[in-house]
Amino acid sequence: MRTEREQPWRYLAPAALLLGIVTVYPLAHVVWLSLERRSLLDPAPPSFTGLDNYARLAADERFWNALGNTAYFVAVSVSLELVLGLAFALALQRPFRGRAALYGIILLPWAVPTAVSARMWEWMFEPDIGVLNYVLGAQVNWLGSPAWALNAAVLMDVWKSTPFVALLLIAGLQSIPQDLYRAAAVDGASRWTVLRRITLPLLAPMILVALLFRTIDAFRVFDAIYVLTGGGPADSTETLSIYTYKMLFQSLEFGYGSALAVSVFACVALIAGAYVFLLRRILQ
Amino acid sequence: MLSRRRFIATLGAAALAGCGRPARERGATTLVFKHGKLFGDPRALRALIDEFERAHPGVAVREETLPASSDEQHQFYAINLQARSEAFDVLAVDIIWVAGFARAGWLRELGALEPGAFFDGPAEAVTWEGKAYALPWFVDAGLLYYRKDLLEKYGLAPPETWHDLVGVAREVAGRVPGMHGFVWQGKQYEGLVCNALEYLHSNGGAVLADGRVVLDSPQNREALALMTDLVHRYRVTPASVTTATEEPSRHLFGQGRALFLRNWPYAWRAFQDPSSRVHGKVGIAELPRFPDGRSAPTLGGWQLAVNAASLHQEESKALVKFLTGEKAQRRLAVAYGFQPARPALYRDAELLATQPFVGRLARVFAAARPRPVTPQYVRVSQVLQSDFSAAISGLRTPQAALAHAQRRIEAILGAD
């Protein structure tokens, strides 16, 4: 009896140890650094300053600007991805000729490395010779005007990540029992009623999972925007991750930069917590 | 993320230190010379190093190349120098790092510079609290490229002042359809600071003076206003300049779609390619100035320094002196078109014969001005990038942008 009880721990120990080393320890270390005044270029040795870095954060307009940019980016790109992803999933739900080929084409943007697609979009956004202005017959300074730049980044993210949402939702749709649809057909339910009463409620858990992944990913967005604009013009596309990167790896301010990193972590943890809470309620 | 990076860097340093040891045990000294990928064929540099080795029996020099990205090099040096790594002895440093590294105590002091041996700009940039912490190796500075053929056709002279430039650009752009007047680097990045300072400095303005922030001054307001007017009022610069870095602006000019270009000397070579659309049609001039100011191209370039934690201080110092010496700089200039930091070489017959273009740059380098020399440069630059960008994209007036930057930079230097 006794040995049986001990056994799970033995099996879990290696995984727990690994997680501890690669996740918990670095995280705790970053939290610790965020409580210090520590800059690589500062000749003074690092000193413990308690919550000073967080007080500085609260008064830092650049931080609030970055948080606002990040929130806007997440809200707009994730909602568009969900709507479009759902539309694709519903369209691809039933078998038809050429579906497999269409699958492949839709997944393509997701398969391209972000830095590569960002470079590609940079050229398409080019105001003089870019294909986007050519097609639209417009003269939009996509990446160079503070009003457009963040929206241009949203556009690229939607292009890139909608396939991911669609893929998850297709999987979700396929797990809905066909009997329900047949029963609805017998009852003479309209397509709209079927979508509202059967598909969406049963798809809700998968929608939440997709939202959870996308929201967290979008909140940490770095590479796409860094390649497109580097945070400019006038900080209008500087997200929290870009600000954190500049503080940590350009300014080498490890104390304050860690406080920024912890703030990103805290936001992501809150978002994840909220989704998990919702998910549990739905599943119960 | 952070601790993992440090961990890897430390591991790397430990491995390198391990490599260096056997040589020391044999009684020989191996100097490790770290630099970014600097120029084409590495053989001429290696030949120089071989010569140094022959002159210093028992000393071997190993080159180690860092990634080309300046941010990555900065990180590598900062992390390893702060850890007092002995894994490298001599390092190539960007002009904007010297003050920060020197104040941190990471670089060995190299004594007083020979007066007049180096251009004034680099001499100022390698000096911290009256002492030199690096020796200038090669220099870079902003230039004005112009379409010689078009100016001749319309009987116009290359501009001396910014206002001349606006006049010429409007006149020619009005006659040649699809032609932009003046392209430069306006994306929010380090290059924007280099560009903007050329306006401020050429109007007698500055960012810092005697450790005080003097950004919000009438001279600077006038200068930044002219820079933003190029885009919004005179429209000689396209609005898309807010996305332009060196290469896109060079392409625009290279395709024959701009009359004037501000860029570094490297662009010259691309325009000499016979297949270039502007081949044979390009002239260079010093950057314009304000009526009461002097042309003030921003200084770039690389310096050599000795790691303060190196175990071979004397040999390292000798290597730095050798590689930044007249003979070495001449050889590298002849081999690569590398731009020497020593003004005397610009009168050298061999150099002028083999690299006539480099020879024409003496006046430009003599006038070149460093970016603010402060240990906090990287953070100061981030503020300048954001506020200059706000001014150019029309989000803030030049006056508001300067006042805003002034406050933020005062906060950075005040907390230091």
Side-chain angles (χ1 to χ4, degrees):
Chain A
M1 219 36 216
R2 214 179 124 245
T3 49
E4 257 173 47
R5 242 193 223 167
E6 270 176 10
Q7 260 171 357
W9 282 111
R10 282 192 207 158
Y11 288 117
L12 287 175
L17 189 71
L18 194 68
L19 275 178
I21 292 172
V22 303
T23 309
V24 180
Y25 168 72
L27 185 65
H29 191 67
V30 169
V31 172
W32 173 253
L33 284 175
S34 78
L35 302 175
E36 286 189 326
R37 183 192 157 107
R38 178 193 279 265
S39 158
L40 268 190
L41 290 170
D42 191 345
S47 55
F48 182 81
T49 54
L51 295 175
D52 274 11
N53 283 330
Y54 292 95
R56 185 174 153 196
L57 200 73
D60 181 355
E61 51 173 315
R62 196 171 157 194
F63 167 73
W64 292 108
N65 171 59
L67 184 63
N69 289 341
T70 312
Y72 177 85
F73 179 83
V74 171
V76 179
S77 62
V78 175
S79 359
L80 287 174
E81 283 156 21
L82 180 66
V83 171
L84 291 174
L86 188 62
F88 279 131
L90 291 171
L92 289 173
Q93 188 184 8
R94 284 164 202 288
F96 57 88
R97 268 171 63 102
R99 187 169 78 153
L102 208 57
Y103 254 51
I105 291 170
I106 285 184
L107 270 178
L108 209 61
W110 178 251
V112 179
T114 311
V116 175
S117 45
R119 202 47 95 194
M120 198 171 87
W121 276 88
E122 193 188 350
W123 282 108
M124 301 207 301
F125 281 134
E126 219 286 323
D128 279 338
I129 53 167
V131 68
L132 223 57
N133 275 349
Y134 177 77
V135 169
L136 297 173
Q139 265 300 319
V140 180
N141 189 8
W142 293 98
L143 299 174
S145 83
W148 277 109
L150 195 53
N151 292 307
V154 166
L155 184 61
M156 188 206 135
D157 194 68
V158 168
W159 172 83
K160 181 176 169 53
S161 301
T162 299
F164 173 76
V165 176
L167 196 68
L168 276 185
L169 296 185
I170 287 169
L173 284 174
Q174 281 166 353
S175 68
I176 297 175
Q178 291 300 311
D179 304 358
L180 292 174
Y181 289 114
R182 274 183 227 118
V186 169
D187 290 346
S190 70
R191 290 179 74 162
W192 172 243
T193 309
V194 169
L195 179 70
R196 222 163 48 91
R197 296 291 173 115
I198 300 176
T199 310
L200 285 183
L202 289 173
L203 197 59
M206 209 45 143
I207 290 178
L208 271 179
V209 169
L211 281 176
L212 172 69
F213 277 127
R214 282 309 308 144
T215 309
I216 291 178
D217 246 15
F219 201 89
R220 294 177 309 180
V221 64
F222 174 77
D223 42 6
I225 300 186
Y226 196 75
V227 172
L228 280 179
T229 64
D235 294 337
S236 62
T237 57
E238 185 169 85
T239 60
L240 275 180
S241 294
I242 291 181
Y243 185 21
T244 307
Y245 173 85
K246 287 183 176 171
M247 204 35 93
L248 281 174
F249 297 116
Q250 290 183 348
S251 306
L252 305 173
E253 291 259 329
F254 285 2
Y256 190 56
S258 299
L260 283 169
V262 170
S263 78
V264 175
F265 173 75
C267 291
V268 168
L270 272 177
I271 293 168
Y275 278 124
V276 169
F277 175 76
L278 276 177
L279 199 59
R280 283 213 174 142
R281 277 201 20 193
I282 286 179
L283 290 179
Q284 265 164 16
Chain B
M1 182 163 78
L2 178 66
S3 52
R4 245 173 285 166
R5 282 201 181 215
R6 287 199 68 188
F7 178 60
I8 290 166
T10 318
L11 268 188
L16 291 176
C19 298
R21 208 158 292 137
R24 281 207 298 279
E25 282 162 8
R26 284 201 311 270
T29 302
T30 300
L31 297 180
V32 175
F33 172 25
K34 277 268 180 207
H35 56 78
K37 198 169 178 319
L38 296 171
F39 19 66
D41 181 1
R43 273 174 300 186
L45 178 59
R46 188 62 236 180
L48 270 172
I49 291 173
D50 292 342
E51 199 172 301
F52 175 83
E53 287 177 345
R54 282 195 296 277
H56 296 79
V59 178
V61 179
R62 188 171 70 236
E63 286 178 80
E64 285 176 4
T65 312
L66 285 170
S69 140
S70 176
D71 279 353
E72 280 177 56
Q73 292 179 30
H74 185 236
Q75 261 173 55
F76 172 87
Y77 285 139
I79 288 167
N80 287 279
L81 290 169
Q82 204 238 7
R84 302 278 160 203
S85 164
E86 301 156 4
F88 54 95
D89 307 280
V90 170
L91 59 156
V93 285
D94 193 332
I95 193 93
I96 52 180
W97 306 337
V98 180
F101 287 7
R103 184 185 68 155
W106 298 340
L107 302 181
R108 184 207 160 122
E109 194 236 300
L110 295 171
L113 294 177
E114 241 176 285
F118 298 102
F119 286 116
D120 291 346
E124 180 189 341
V126 298
T127 305
W128 176 246
E129 295 185 335
K131 292 169 185 157
Y133 285 87
L135 295 182
W137 198 23
F138 62 93
V139 288
D140 217 356
L143 273 186
L144 184 71
Y145 292 86
Y146 62 90
R147 286 288 298 278
K148 211 165 48 178
D149 56 325
L150 290 175
L151 290 195
E152 273 165 20
K153 183 171 168 194
Y154 297 110
L156 299 161
E160 290 204 0
T161 68
W162 294 109
H163 298 92
D164 289 350
L165 180 141
V166 170
V168 172
R170 292 180 95 178
E171 189 163 343
V172 175
R175 297 194 202 176
V176 186
M179 176 73 109
H180 294 303
F182 180 31
V183 291
W184 34 278
Q185 295 83 45
K187 182 179 172 171
Q188 182 175 346
Y189 81 123
E190 183 62 30
L192 171 60
V193 178
C194 295
N195 275 253
L197 289 178
E198 287 164 349
Y199 296 79
L200 271 49
H201 287 157
S202 67
N203 197 29
V207 177
L208 302 177
D210 302 320
R212 278 181 317 114
V213 188
V214 293
L215 202 52
D216 191 12
S217 71
Q219 293 90 334
N220 287 348
R221 269 176 242 150
E222 187 192 4
L224 191 59
L226 186 123
M227 191 181 185
T228 58
D229 281 349
L230 291 174
V231 186
H232 300 287
R233 186 165 152 210
Y234 306 124
R235 298 178 183 275
V236 296
T237 295
S240 59
V241 75
T242 47
T243 60
T245 55
E246 282 85 357
E247 283 295 272
S249 58
R250 179 178 71 77
H251 279 296
L252 211 56
F253 184 85
Q255 289 163 349
R257 300 189 48 210
L259 179 65
F260 293 113
L261 163 72
R262 181 268 176 213
N263 212 322
W264 308 92
Y266 87 93
W268 178 257
R269 231 171 254 195
F271 302 143
Q272 300 320 300
D273 182 343
S275 69
S276 162
R277 277 195 219 171
V278 294
H279 174 69
K281 300 177 181 169
V282 180
I284 56 160
E286 287 178 77
L287 283 171
R289 56 184 172 81
F290 283 84
D292 299 328
R294 287 174 42 196
S295 171
T298 295
L299 176 75
W302 291 83
Q303 342 299 314
L304 297 184
V306 175
N307 175 1
S310 157
L311 297 175
H312 316 291
Q313 294 288 322
E314 290 318 306
E315 297 91 330
S316 301
K317 192 174 162 184
L319 178 63
V320 168
K321 293 224 156 180
F322 174 79
L323 285 176
T324 57
E326 220 171 283
K327 190 168 88 181
Q329 294 208 359
R330 179 190 301 113
R331 191 94 66 79
L332 293 171
V334 168
Y336 301 121
F338 149 126
Q339 296 135 205
R342 292 175 170 274
L345 287 174
Y346 291 80
R347 296 185 292 273
D348 182 88
E350 185 193 359
L351 191 143
L352 293 181
T354 50
Q355 300 285 349
F357 174 68
V358 175
R360 291 165 67 191
L361 300 175
R363 278 168 63 95
V364 172
F365 295 143
R369 296 276 299 273
R371 285 158 272 176
V373 180
T374 160
Q376 292 292 352
Y377 179 73
V378 179
R379 293 183 60 198
V380 168
S381 168
Q382 281 183 20
V383 170
L384 295 176
Q385 286 171 34
S386 123
D387 280 309
F388 288 155
S389 175
I392 289 160
S393 53
L395 215 57
R396 284 199 187 100
T397 63
Q399 189 165 357
L402 288 167
H404 190 243
Q406 166 102 15
R407 277 205 313 279
R408 290 164 76 191
I409 295 175
E410 276 170 353
I412 290 171
L413 300 182
D416 191 32

